[in-house]
C-alpha cells in the first residue's frame, strides 16, 4: 500500500513539475512574441519615417533637377513621391491595426544641386527601403501576420521598381 502511495505521490510531483515547466516556457514564449511584435512595430515606424522622407526628397529633386536628359525622370520622381505617400498610408494602417501609434517623424532627407548626385541619393533611399521591407516581411511571417506580409510585399515590389527606374536613369 505504501509503495503505491509513494508511486502516486512521485507521479503527482512529476506532473506538477512538468506543468510548472510548461507554464514557464509558455510565459517565456509569450514574452518573446511580444518582444518581436514590439520590434516589428518599431521597424514599421522607422519604415514610415523613411517613406515620409522619400516623398519629400522626391518632390524636391523633381523640382530642381535640370537638363534635357532628366526630363523623363523628373516626371517619374513625382510618381515615386505619390507612391511613397501611398506606402506611408499602408504602413500607418498596419501600425494602427497592431494597436500602436504611427510615427509623425521624418527621417533625414538628402539634397544636392547635382542631378546625378540627386539620383544617387534617391537610389540609396530605395536600397535602404528594400532592405527594411525584406526584414519586415520576415518578421511578419514569424508573427503569423500573413495579410500584413502581403501588404509589405506589395510595397517591396514598388520599391524595387523605383530602384530599376533610377538605375536606368543613371545608365546602370
Amino acid at each position: 500500500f505504501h509503495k503505491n502511495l509513494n508511486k502516486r505521490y512521485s507521479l503527482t510531483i512529476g506532473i506538477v513539475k512538468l506543468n510548472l515547466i510548461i507554464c514557464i516556457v509558455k510565459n517565456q514564449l509569450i514574452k518573446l512574441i511580444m518582444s518581436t511584435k514590439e520590434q516589428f512595430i518599431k521597424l514599421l515606424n522607422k519604415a514610415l519615417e523613411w517613406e515620409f522622407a522619400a516623398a519629400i526628397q522626391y518632390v524636391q529633386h523633381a523640382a530642381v533637377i535640370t537638363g534635357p536628359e532628366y526630363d523623363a525622370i523628373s516626371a517619374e520622381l513625382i510618381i515615386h513621391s505619390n507612391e511613397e505617400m501611398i506606402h506611408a498610408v499602408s504602413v500607418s494602417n498596419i501600425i494602427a491595426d497592431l494597436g500602436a501609434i504611427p510615427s509623425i517623424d521624418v527621417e533625414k532627407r538628402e539634397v544636392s544641386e547635382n542631378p546625378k548626385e540627386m539620383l544617387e541619393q534617391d537610389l540609396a533611399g530605395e536600397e535602404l527601403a528594400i532592405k527594411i521591407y525584406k526584414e519586415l516581411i520576415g518578421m511578419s511571417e514569424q508573427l503569423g501576420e500573413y495579410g500584413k506580409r502581403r501588404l509589405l510585399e506589395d510595397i517591396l515590389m514598388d520599391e524595387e521598381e523605383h530602384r530599376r527606374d533610377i538605375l536606368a536613369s543613371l545608365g546602370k
Side-chain angles (χ1 to χ4, degrees), residues 18-109:
L18 183 59
N19 282 335
L20 182 60
I21 291 170
I22 290 170
C23 187
I24 290 170
V25 169
K26 186 177 175 183
N27 284 337
Q28 293 290 343
L29 186 58
I30 289 169
K31 286 180 186 175
L32 179 63
I33 289 169
M34 291 307 291
S35 171
T36 304
K37 182 179 175 184
E38 290 167 6
Q39 291 169 348
F40 183 53
I41 291 168
K42 185 176 180 180
L43 188 56
L44 282 165
N45 266 314
K46 188 51 69 178
L48 178 59
E49 293 168 12
W50 281 111
E51 292 292 355
F52 291 147
I56 293 166
Q57 183 171 304
Y58 277 134
V59 168
Q60 194 269 344
H61 286 178
V64 299
I65 201 166
T66 57
E69 68 272 32
Y70 298 110
D71 285 344
I73 191 61
S74 178
E76 191 65 31
L77 294 179
I78 295 299
I79 293 168
H80 288 192
S81 176
N82 290 330
E83 290 173 343
E84 301 299 359
M85 287 308 295
I86 292 168
H87 299 164
V89 170
S90 294
V91 173
S92 293
N93 287 334
I94 292 170
I95 294 166
D97 187 50
L98 291 167
I101 303 295
S103 178
I104 58 168
D105 294 333
V106 180
E107 261 298 339
K108 182 181 177 193
R109 280 97 41 226

Side-chain angles (χ1 to χ4, degrees), residues 1 12 55 61 69 76 83 94 138 144 153 161 164 168 172:
F1 174 76
T12 302
H61 286 178
E69 68 272 32
E76 191 65 31
E83 290 173 343
I94 292 170
E153 288 171 342
E161 180 187 341
R164 284 190 300 276
K172 295 184 179 183

